[in-house]
Amino acid sequence: MSMLADIRYAARLAVNEWRFTLTLIATLATGIAASGAIFNVVNASLLRPLPIADESRVFRLRDYTENPGGQRVLRSNRVPNFLSIRDEARSFSSAIGLYRVEWSLIDGDTPLPIKTTLMSPGSLQFLGARIHRGRFFTPGEEEAGLDANAIVLSHSFWRQHFGGRDDVIGSTVRIENRLVTVIGVVAPGFRFPYDAEAWMPERFSPAAETSLAVFARLAPGVTRQQAEQELDAIAIRAEAARPIANRGVRFAMVPVREEFAGGQSRTMLALMAAAILLLVLASANVANLLLARGIRRAREVAVRTALGASRARQLRQMLIESVMFAAMGTAVGLAVAAPLSRSVSGLIPNTLRDQFGLAKTMIDWRAAVFAAVIIGAVGIAAGLLPALKISRADVTSTLRESSRGVSGGHRIMRLLVVGEVALASVLLISAGLMVDNFQRLMNTDLGLEADQLISIRLPLPPRYDTAERRIVLARQLNEAAIAVPGTRNAAIVSINPLDRGSFGAAVESEDAPLAPGQSAPVVNHRLVTPGWFATAQVPLLFGRVFTSSDHANSEPVAIISSRMANRLWPEGQAVGKRVRQARPQAPWLTVIGVVGDVRDTGEWKETWYLPYEQHAATLAASTMNVMLRSSVDAAATLSAMREKVRAIDPLLPVPEPSLMTTLWENAAVEERMSAVASTLFGLSGLLLAALGTYGVLAYLVSARAREFGIRQALGATPSRVLAMVLRDGAVLVMAGLAVGGVLSIAAIRGLQSAVTGTGAVPPSLPWIVGALLIGTALAASLMPARRATRVSPVDVMRSE
């Protein structure tokens, strides 16, 4: 019964002290939710196992060449190289190759784009896909390749376009010019690779030049170093067999987790460090609030002791109160952690989040529970320490001096506030750096004008397999795009520089031919139709741009970027020079123009541009990006474009258009999410620092009530008392800022090394952070200060 009485008493106190209760719960919830949410992101990105078996022994294999400076240029494997690895390497127990095509599913008269992955045998099982309905491919179907006419659908495509009907399994659908049987549906969440919506088996011809994503698993007992040595030997043999295609090509092994997480891992670890700082800050604030509350209750403890309450009973009461506060804060923190985790799930790399489905079940309660245990333990300890100290003190002296508090507790609380302000300043400085990084990225020169520029990506179906058909389609699409209302310019480019995907070519100049065995630098390979530079507003620096006279039967020509021109001819004129792909039989192309550099998915790279019609038979021409500069919104443009495309080819699907500004923002999604997350951390730290300052000053005003009363009785004005309290708050903040300035130096250096593109600290940032913290602290100090001015000297004297 006594336990129930203690619980009821603790609940009454929580209700009566509702301001304190809400402040403590908010502090606990902030620390638990924020640190738990970020840990979930780090867990999903770096720690949580992939569905791939033996993940640590699985690698992405890539072709690479070395630029003259020794830098590796990684690219996808070509089919012949993949076949060499699969058939010759003994270091791998299995190897798979896959690539993406965007075909059309013909449903009545409406073509529906379907992102399809063609793959070698055993790929779905290798990647850890699970079947939801039906079955995977049999060995016979995988051996037959596309001729098996079998397809496996993603769960999302099955639900969206077939309503999740079970009778779809075994039914026949038309993919391009094939009738294929749906044999299975994979489990929800799996869409690897390339956000795949369907998978089909493929037989890879040794003569094919298709680029593949290749994954391999080390054989038992084989080390990575041994596998790399064997790959070097295979690369040398491949170069001897195909010296033109494999000049200087070697094979790189990239751990599968590194391949998927990429450069985001450092950013996420930096945010995890910020979450830990916030957790420490929340713990300090909880400790401060409970310490102040415990000291303030010294008289109550003394009275209870004088009335016969045992020390054990007193400690139990304090423990119940601390546990109750910790439980309430934990409950709120865990409730907030789930939606907060979903809101920051954009920090998880797309491959892991959307293609392996790790974000769908990303809530790892262990993280939030861990944070709750840490803060709860701190809170319980902070609640018990004053009780332990007071319960040992002399009851008479405690009652006599109850209004003066415990001086040791005062020092501890002041130090905690200084620490809170220091940590808050580190969080705010870090947030300012991340926001500055994102703003600089958004305001950077792209080399083209993205505003009002719309791109529509059209992968060509297999029926457009000849240069003649592609040239006719390109001309028709160009004319159709120009005829769309609101269009000022229109053209076609093989690869949109701000969209996914790339295509490279090893290039040499006539003035500096490659030595035998020397690898050539790889540049971006772009095919464009006349008018593309005007449409994208890429400036012409020298020479001329392509015109309709640069057709399939005219002199082979090229336009190169400024960076490429400066490297090949640093002291001369590039126009009139000749370049070609680095292989003996490749034709020489005359450089007719030099244009400005364009950022390619955020990076400055050398680029050459070739007339689409002169290279329409090549693999690079199998994708068209119709680009329009239009004053009309994208939805209206899409509607008009679909009508015109339907008149050209009723079975050619037109996917959703992309605004170039949106593509650039999506390319910087990591930086945006980092800026948002760090800003939330900074503001949370600012809030916690304000709560800590308020809590300490409120307690100190209460503890110094006798002093303030005496001062006013001796003639001190309310304004002077107000200034005294505000000065105390300012001193704490200034001390915290001094400590935070030292800590921020280390934090800045860590961010600059961890997050790509982070620059120097803006000169105004420290002043802004300082002013923000001082202003917040003064605001938090104002209420306790005004309370101090209302202390009545008469009441103080009477209480004596």
Side-chain angles (χ1 to χ4, degrees), residues 407-424:
S407 60
H410 295 180
R411 288 192 296 271
I412 294 173
M413 287 187 289
R414 289 175 183 272
L415 289 174
L416 285 175
V417 169
V418 170
E420 289 176 29
V421 173
L423 293 179

Side-chain angles (χ1 to χ4, degrees), residues 566-591:
N566 291 336
R567 177 179 61 82
L568 293 176
W569 297 281
E571 299 178 356
Q573 175 61 259
V575 175
K577 304 294 186 179
R578 298 207 302 174
V579 291
R580 70 173 181 179
Q581 291 198 43
R583 51 189 184 189
Q585 305 305 318
W588 288 103
L589 314 176
T590 301
V591 177

Side-chain angles (χ1 to χ4, degrees), residues 659-671:
L659 295 173
M660 292 292 280
T661 50
T662 302
L663 288 177
W664 177 233
E665 291 173 359
N666 292 340
V669 64
E670 176 190 351
E671 289 81 1

Side-chain angles (χ1 to χ4, degrees), residues 179-201:
L179 292 177
V180 301
T181 301
V182 179
I183 65 168
V185 175
V186 299
F190 186 86
R191 293 187 60 174
F192 186 83
Y194 315 118
D195 288 321
E197 296 171 322
W199 296 265
M200 296 180 71

Side-chain angles (χ1 to χ4, degrees), residues 749-771:
R749 290 175 179 172
L751 278 176
Q752 289 172 337
S753 63
V755 182
T756 303
T758 303
V761 179
S764 60
L765 182 58
W767 295 101
I768 293 173
V769 170

Side-chain angles (χ1 to χ4, degrees), residues 549-563:
S549 62
D550 298 308
H551 50 72
N553 298 319
S554 63
E555 176 190 8
V557 293
I559 294 174
I560 64 177
S561 67
S562 177
R563 286 174 181 259

